[in-house]
Amino acid sequence: MRIARPEHWGLRRTLAIGLTGGLLLGMTALGVAQITWAVGPWYPVWLRVAGALMVATGFWSASWVWIAFLNAERRVQEGLSLPRGIAGFATNCLVALIVPLLIGHQLHGMLYAWHAHHFTPTPTAELRLLPERNPDGSDVLELYGPMGIGTTHKLQHWLAQYPWVRTLQLDSPGGLAPEAIGVAQLIQLHQLDTAVVSRCEGACIVALAAGSRRLASPQAILRCHKPYMPVVGGAHTLTATDRHLLRWLTAQGVDPQLAQHCFQRPAWDAYTPDPEALHSAWLITHWLPAPQSQ
């Protein structure tokens, strides 16, 4: 059986084959996103897979447009009217453009983390045991600095080394959304309380909301905003990353209205809730008591 060359497919067949490939790439993107959000031991590898998948999607779409152009040119030469040839080519181009936009929308958070890891590295947060202890004598571990690649792994190592830690104090300007989810999952796994004395901004809010109890000093700075701006649309457009973090926060009991408001504000115009709103929205459950020295 002889297989027709791509430039002999025809415009409808080109559209069908292009959509089929786009659908397969989209399903792969969904799987990669789910695995990456788990922040497992192979997490950095899956970030690279997400980057490679986006490159492959771009190559597929560019090839699709080129083949559609060759087919439109051939069909017009064979007698197809010029308006119909242009319409068929334009339809293929439009769908070929939509496919990478949808896949980029799905992988937005992973692509940002991949880019930050390889081109503009976000430092890994540091950890230290504080001299102050909780009233019950358990230790307080402080996580400070941005949540870059490796923060989850570092926290996992510290919690294994110091199993008597019961409170994770956060002092972070934010960081990568997948790392914040990874930190939050460890907080829940070890049933830790979370506390903020100085500041907790951006993705740090996700980790704060994972605490069994969420304590904060009335003087603490708590700001929330979108982790990344969408490729298409303004700040009010919720990306797949925004929706994932929104579901996470609401699952922890945070008021959905507050959570959604957070993810509709860009980083340069972060939302700073007042103390009463923080408490009523269940982001803060208790005001931080005075620590006791060891």
Side-chain angles (χ1 to χ4, degrees):
M1 180 179 177
R2 185 177 179 181
I3 301 176
R5 296 174 61 183
E7 59 267 27
H8 294 157
W9 284 349
L11 290 169
R12 290 182 180 177
R13 186 177 180 187
T14 300
L15 181 62
I17 292 176
L19 279 172
T20 301
L23 180 62
L24 291 175
L25 288 167
M27 293 173 64
T28 304
L30 284 172
V32 170
Q34 290 179 354
I35 294 173
T36 307
W37 280 119
V39 200
W42 293 95
Y43 157 67
V45 175
W46 286 109
L47 290 181
R48 297 188 182 94
V49 171
L53 182 60
M54 199 66 233
V55 171
T57 302
F59 178 78
W60 177 261
S61 295
S63 302
W64 183 352
V65 170
W66 177 244
I67 292 171
F69 172 76
L70 294 178
N71 277 283
E73 182 183 42
R74 179 182 60 81
R75 293 289 289 122
V76 169
Q77 290 174 351
E78 291 176 350
L80 183 70
S81 67
L82 183 60
R84 291 184 64 184
I86 293 175
F89 174 64
T91 301
N92 275 275
C93 287
L94 178 62
V95 181
L97 177 63
I98 290 174
V99 167
L101 287 177
L102 290 177
I103 292 177
H105 175 85
Q106 184 64 43
L107 295 176
H108 203 182
M110 287 88 244
L111 294 174
Y112 185 92
W114 168 75
H115 182 272
H117 181 49
H118 290 282
F119 301 103
T120 55
T122 301
T124 303
E126 299 296 333
L127 293 151
R128 63 183 176 187
L129 278 177
L130 296 180
E132 299 84 7
R133 287 192 170 188
N134 291 314
D136 63 359
S138 59
D139 280 324
V140 178
L141 179 66
E142 183 183 36
L143 183 151
Y144 59 99
M147 298 182 187
I149 298 291
T151 299
T152 301
H153 178 74
K154 184 180 290 187
L155 176 60
Q156 186 177 29
H157 173 76
W158 274 73
L159 291 177
Q161 188 174 2
Y162 301 101
W164 48 88
V165 168
R166 288 295 174 266
T167 300
L168 181 66
Q169 183 169 300
L170 301 166
D171 182 3
S172 174
L176 303 178
E179 287 290 344
I181 287 289
V183 169
Q185 290 171 345
L186 286 175
I187 291 170
Q188 288 192 327
L189 178 64
H190 292 269
Q191 300 179 337
L192 303 179
D193 293 338
T194 50
V196 180
V197 173
S198 179
R199 65 171 175 169
C200 182
E201 304 180 48
C204 177
I205 295 293
V206 175
L208 171 64
S212 300
R213 296 189 306 157
R214 306 153 199 168
L215 305 101
S217 165
Q219 291 76 39
I221 298 173
L222 290 100
R223 296 193 183 103
C224 56
H225 57 78
K226 296 175 74 67
Y228 326 104
M229 285 298 289
V231 176
V232 178
H236 287 277
T237 302
L238 294 179
T239 67
T241 300
D242 294 333
R243 296 184 187 279
H244 185 87
L245 299 180
L246 181 61
R247 288 193 297 269
W248 171 269
L249 287 178
T250 54
Q252 314 316 311
V254 177
D255 180 19
Q257 186 174 0
L258 172 68
Q260 183 157 352
H261 194 56
C262 285
F263 298 122
Q264 291 181 331
R265 300 287 288 269
W268 58 86
D269 186 26
Y271 176 49
T272 307
D274 57 64
E276 183 179 350
L278 289 170
H279 193 268
S280 62
W282 206 244
L283 183 59
I284 298 299
T285 60
H286 302 78
W287 297 115
L288 192 64
Q292 296 182 358
S293 299
Q294 183 174 357

